[in-house]
Amino acid sequence: MQVSFQSPVAGLIGKLEYNGKFYIRKIHGKYILQRCPNRQNHIPTPHEKANQQRFIQQYRRVHRGVECKARRRLGDVRGSSLEIKGKEI
């Protein structure tokens, strides 16, 4: 379903409510309202599991006192350092 917004809202992307069943996305300059997929009983395929593991290795959060294998250093005291593809933010 195509969505049009009233002034002063120019556009939205994402869910309007935390438990909402619909979300808004922008495709080719148009805003589209779509239903959220129900993945409650979804069993990941081997390809999906491999993608999940690859994502974890690239974007894992460094916890306090746990050595980071990629950088060989300890995370900060709060455990909030985030490592992305060898770069630290």
Side-chain angles (χ1 to χ4, degrees), residues 29-74:
K30 297 179 182 176
Y31 290 93
I32 307 294
L33 180 71
Q34 287 188 316
R35 187 181 306 238
C36 294
N38 182 2
R39 297 179 60 87
Q40 191 170 17
N41 295 324
H42 176 73
I43 299 171
T45 64
H47 187 67
E48 288 174 332
K49 278 194 131 1
N51 285 338
Q52 289 171 358
Q53 291 301 318
R54 192 176 320 114
F55 180 86
I56 289 169
Q57 291 301 318
Q58 289 180 355
Y59 299 102
R60 71 171 177 251
R61 187 175 287 278
V62 178
H63 295 289
R64 180 180 3 158
V66 177
E67 184 179 351
C68 173
K69 293 179 183 176
R71 301 285 292 213
R72 296 285 184 222
R73 65 179 292 257
L74 294 175

